[in-house]
Amino acid sequence: MASKPPTWTRLYSSPASPQKEPEKDSGATTKKPIPEPRPSSSIVLLSPTNEVLLLHRVKTSTSFASAHVFPGGNLDAFHDGDIPAPGTKDRHVDGPAYRLGAIRECFEETGILLATKDGRLVDLSQQERDEARKRIHGSQIKFADWLKSIDAEADLDGLIPFTRWVTPVGVPKRFTTQMYLYLIPISRTGVPSEMHVPTPDGGVEHTEALFAPPQTFLSRVAANEIILFPPQYYILSLLTRFLKGPTASVEEGPIYYTKQRRELLKFVKAVPTADTDKGRQHATARIPWADKVMSPHNLFIRKSDKRVVLGLDKPGPELKDSGRGGDWERVVLVSFGKAGPSRVEVRLREDVLREEREVAAERSKL
């Protein structure tokens, strides 16, 4: 595939401007059709020590090129079953195809198989997994049929819905991506550690697979060592509130990590989802994290540092007037260039707006 700038970069590198519409002989104009978002799903995978898995995508990828992303990808009817059609109510909600697709993509990309046998995660050798990954990726065998052949079942119930992201209008390829949390059991009893070691897919889609605390990835972004796009950065920033990194105490480890998970799951289920008084008054605060839909949109460009401020409250044109939405309280600040996003930061909307008013007031005095 030919290399091209990431679609988010093309969209947000400058303020939106109206596109010239083609003229017709009759004098009428037509608008360029908006691409239908393609269904996809991803997994925010937590290790037994509550580290998060990210993959380093190849530079030739047509989406999120060279960036670090969560494992996942497009749904495939051959493997994942019936995919909700455009315009149907199930198109943008959690469902069987989204869940199976997430587990399949995770296995294809990392070799980590989220499937159970006799109530525990299945144990396979690396050779068995690598051979299966190639056959499934090449559509030589259906994922579900392969699982049946090894007497295993995809752990669909282990997936916890955690936001949906719809690509903004203005790019040639759009996606409606269901995000999930999956917590690999903390106890290693009967769960082989080898199955938790991610392995690259030979450079097909990514070159590195790594578990690390969310703070580590955010620190590397701040140091310009890796690229994270707004959705990934936003989710990792939420996780830092609960996943605090490793503990030196082997004995206290299970208790330490279990407490973190308990607080995270409590957060995921809690309503309202906002922290501030004004945030709690907004309708999006009453939408659980499992049902939030975010389609980032350009609010304005900051006068102080020229970063774009992205709102996360709107669900995209397909879900307009549906009553769905994302997060009004927070915004993402980001600079976009040829190399991708940089200076990414998640902030409270009211704080950013206040700073913008203060800057404007100071400049008016000059």
Side-chain angles (χ1 to χ4, degrees):
M1 294 179 288
S3 176
K4 61 177 69 174
T7 54
W8 287 67
T9 301
R10 297 201 299 275
L11 180 61
Y12 291 122
S13 58
S14 60
S17 58
Q19 295 183 348
K20 186 176 180 180
E21 298 175 342
E23 297 182 357
K24 287 187 175 182
D25 294 339
S26 62
T29 59
T30 58
K31 291 184 178 180
K32 188 175 181 180
I34 299 175
E36 172 68 26
R38 184 173 180 179
S40 67
S41 53
S42 292
I43 298 178
V44 182
L45 187 64
L46 269 60
S47 76
T49 55
N50 289 350
E51 294 184 324
V52 181
L53 178 63
L54 287 186
L55 314 180
H56 187 192
R57 290 187 69 84
V58 296
K59 64 181 180 180
T60 54
S61 174
T62 57
S63 60
F64 301 109
S66 299
H68 279 68
V69 299
F70 302 114
N74 296 328
L75 303 193
D76 185 336
F78 176 78
H79 291 292
D80 308 324
D82 294 335
I83 299 174
T88 62
K89 65 177 183 179
D90 295 332
R91 182 75 167 186
H92 303 283
V93 297
D94 171 36
Y98 282 105
R99 292 189 175 228
L100 187 59
I103 290 177
R104 173 184 56 79
E105 282 285 345
C106 181
F107 179 61
E108 286 185 27
E109 291 186 325
T110 72
I112 296 178
L113 181 59
L114 305 179
T116 59
K117 181 177 181 179
D118 299 327
R120 297 182 295 187
L121 288 179
V122 68
D123 183 5
L124 296 175
S125 69
Q126 182 174 332
Q127 181 179 350
E128 289 177 295
R129 285 180 284 142
D130 288 345
E131 290 177 354
R133 291 166 69 183
K134 292 178 181 178
R135 294 180 64 198
I136 294 165
H137 182 76
S139 296
Q140 298 174 15
I141 186 173
K142 291 183 178 181
F143 182 51
D145 290 345
W146 175 74
L147 288 176
K148 187 176 180 179
S149 72
I150 62 171
D151 197 25
E153 294 184 356
D155 188 14
L156 304 181
D157 292 338
L159 296 172
I160 303 167
F162 187 50
T163 71
R164 173 177 289 266
W165 295 76
V166 177
T167 309
V169 173
V171 296
K173 289 186 177 182
R174 301 179 64 227
F175 303 91
T176 173
T177 304
Q178 178 65 55
M179 303 296 304
Y180 297 100
L181 287 170
Y182 188 97
L183 285 54
I184 295 177
I186 289 176
S187 173
R188 290 183 178 273
T189 303
V191 183
S193 59
E194 181 184 350
M195 293 292 292
H196 299 156
V197 179
T199 55
D201 62 1
V204 176
E205 297 184 45
H206 66 95
T207 59
E208 179 187 43
L210 176 68
F211 274 112
Q215 295 87 344
T216 298
F217 290 119
L218 297 185
S219 296
R220 293 184 66 188
V221 171
N224 293 319
E225 296 176 356
I226 65 172
I227 295 172
L228 285 179
F229 278 81
Q232 290 79 11
Y233 190 100
Y234 173 86
I235 290 174
L236 288 175
S237 70
L238 291 181
L239 294 179
T240 60
R241 301 168 66 174
F242 310 99
L243 311 183
K244 303 299 184 180
T247 176
S249 173
V250 177
E251 294 79 10
E252 296 180 1
I255 298 175
Y256 175 78
Y257 298 123
T258 298
K259 182 179 179 181
Q260 291 180 355
R261 292 184 175 195
R262 187 179 298 119
E263 292 299 316
L264 173 58
L265 294 178
K266 181 180 178 181
F267 168 78
V268 169
K269 298 176 181 177
V271 174
T273 59
D275 298 321
T276 64
D277 290 338
K278 195 163 186 178
R280 284 192 289 269
Q281 295 172 13
H282 197 270
T284 57
R286 296 186 290 275
I287 302 174
W289 289 102
D291 300 323
K292 285 187 181 295
V293 184
M294 306 188 193
S295 185
H297 57 100
N298 189 339
L299 292 176
F300 59 90
I301 296 179
R302 281 163 52 103
K303 295 181 177 65
S304 59
D305 57 17
K306 305 304 179 183
R307 282 189 290 178
V308 177
V309 179
L310 301 178
L312 304 173
D313 51 313
K314 297 181 179 180
E318 291 77 16
L319 294 171
K320 184 180 180 181
D321 300 325
S322 67
R324 302 184 68 184
D327 183 356
W328 179 89
E329 186 177 52
R330 300 171 185 84
V331 294
V332 177
L333 279 58
V334 58
S335 294
F336 282 100
K338 292 182 179 179
S342 61
R343 298 192 295 166
V344 190
E345 187 180 5
V346 175
R347 297 280 305 281
L348 291 176
R349 176 190 289 249
E350 288 301 295
D351 289 347
V352 173
L353 291 176
R354 184 184 66 253
E355 291 173 359
E356 194 67 13
R357 290 193 296 269
E358 292 173 352
V359 170
E362 286 295 322
R363 292 192 176 188
S364 66
K365 298 177 182 179
L366 301 177

